[in-house]
Structure formats: C-alpha cells, structure tokens
Amino acid sequence: MRSLPKLIATDLDGTLVHSDDTVSDYTRAVLERVKAAGIHIVGATGRGPRLTELIRFDIPAADFLVMGGGSRVLDLRDTDHPIVLRDERLDGDALAEVLTRLEHELGTLSVLIEAGDHHEAPLWGDADPHWRYPDVVEARVRAECLNGPVLKGFARHPTCDVDEVLAVAERVIPPSMATITQAGLGYIEICPPGVDKATGLRFVATALGIDPGDVLVFGDMPNDVPMFRWAGFGRVAVANAHPALKALADETTLTNDEDGVATYLEAMLKL
C-alpha cells in the first residue's frame, strides 16, 4: 500500500473551482475527509489577499493559503488569529520598467495593477471587457498606479495570445527584476522577483517540518509549474490543464467541472 502525502496543495480557479465559480459539496466533503486523515491542505492561488474571504469560503478545509501566486502566505491553523508568514511586494519603478520593456517589443498593453490588500480592494488601471471577474476597477493613469509598491501587475495584448506575450516576457525580463507567468485569464501576471507558488509553499513546508517529497499538488496553468517542479510526492493535472503543466504531471485526473481533484483524493483515501 502506498503511503499518503503529508501535505496537499491545490490551485483553485480551473482546478478545484468549477467554471461557474462554485465549489461542489462533494469536493468540500472530500477535503474534510482528507483533513480528518491528518493531511494538511493548502489553497495555492493567484488570487490576491484582497480576496482572502472568498478563498477561505472556496476551500474552508485549508490550514494554509498561498495567495498572489506566492507573495502572501497565511497560516490559518488558528482560524481566529491567522498568521502572515510571507508578504512580498514589487516596487512600482520595477513594474514600470517591466512594462516599458514589454511595450518596446509588443506595443501598447492593457494593464491592471493590484496594490490594495484590504477586503475587495479595487484594481487600478485600464478597465477592460476582457477581464472576466466583476472586480471594481478604478481608472488611473499608469504613473499614479506605480508610485509605490504593488502586489502584482496584469498585462494583456489586444491581439497576441497570452502565451506569446509570456514568451516575449521570459526573453526580455530577467528573473531578478520580476517573476512573470500566466494563469488562464488572458493576461500575463507580473509578480515580485523570487515569488511563485513553490517559494510560497516552502514557507508552509518549513512551518510544518515537511519535506517536498511528502507534498502532492494539483493544478491547471503555467503559474502552477513551479510547484509541480518542487513537489516530490505527486503532481496531478486536471484534464482541462494547459499543455505546459500536463507535460510535468505524473497523472491526469478529471476536469475541474467533473470534480477531478476530489475524485482523485477520494480514490487515494480508499487505497
């Protein structure tokens, strides 16, 4: 009989969460059974800390949250007194330089800035109908958005596919300046250097004294690639995952809309 992992980390949107932005009762119940088996659960998401309450609603069984693609790590074991284990920001001048380099290669980009971390803080920048969420967007000129540290920048090209934009970014932006990825929103995401889901999960593993070899991860998009490369117990992609993530996966489960994560975990618990 194969041993069980000590920690499970799962992405939310496109992986655990259905396409209609809901989480099934079945998935919630399976995650509670996983937790009852003594396995720690981590929600690892690109969503920023301004959406902490929504994240906690979607994955109430989580002991830890890795948010903003790794920039904010929250210990929820004492639910009334969460502890921030990591809080990273990107300097506004650095983000301005990233955008300048990208626009030199690609032309004008539609840009949104995530700077506030209070509950449902607005995004700043270019209101764009291609942004799929009903966030409040405050129209601000870019210079005003970048006059201080930010959590993350989002950038979209009007005609280029997001993977094409990401490829350009990887070519012209050094990792020492920013971490750039994409999470399936049609935008690249520009995060502080050294920030990704793997580095966020390291904070959790350190707090728990757990080795990466005891970590099982689930995901669907390129922003999950770092944690797939880091985790050693198992890497499971949902069937709707990006090809780049499927290429790294040990196994593929059902789609997010078919409760692929919960189906996999339920079978694992029965072994």
Side-chain angles (χ1 to χ4, degrees), residues 214-238:
D214 291 314
V215 179
L216 170 65
V217 293
F218 296 87
D220 75 315
M221 293 302 294
N223 68 329
D224 297 314
V225 164
M227 72 175 184
F228 267 49
R229 289 178 173 155
W230 176 80
F233 186 91
R235 295 152 291 223
V236 183
V238 286

Side-chain angles (χ1 to χ4, degrees), residues 3-123:
S3 61
L4 294 174
K6 294 180 180 178
L7 186 151
I8 290 168
T10 180
D11 172 57
L12 297 184
D13 299 300
T15 301
L16 194 77
V17 178
H18 288 186
S19 299
D20 64 0
D21 298 327
T22 63
V23 178
S24 71
D25 290 340
Y26 167 62
T27 288
R28 293 175 188 272
V30 170
L31 289 175
E32 289 295 341
R33 287 175 54 201
V34 169
K35 188 172 184 176
I39 301 170
H40 294 282
I41 297 173
V42 181
T45 177
R47 298 183 197 173
R50 64 195 177 84
L51 299 174
T52 299
E53 295 310 310
L54 176 60
I55 298 166
R56 293 182 71 170
F57 174 79
D58 283 343
I59 186 165
D63 303 303
F64 294 82
L65 299 179
V66 173
M67 298 178 285
S71 61
R72 175 71 62 87
V73 179
L74 204 59
D75 181 344
L76 296 173
R77 286 177 291 177
D78 182 344
T79 55
D80 293 328
H81 301 93
I83 299 171
V84 177
L85 301 181
R86 186 189 203 188
D87 185 11
E88 300 283 349
R89 306 295 170 114
L90 179 61
D91 186 78
D93 289 339
L95 180 51
E97 176 62 19
V98 168
L99 295 171
T100 296
R101 293 189 183 197
L102 291 175
E103 291 185 325
H104 177 75
E105 298 285 329
L106 295 164
T108 302
L109 298 169
S110 176
V111 174
L112 291 169
I113 307 296
E114 186 169 4
D117 59 3
H118 59 278
H119 181 59
E120 295 184 341
L123 297 173

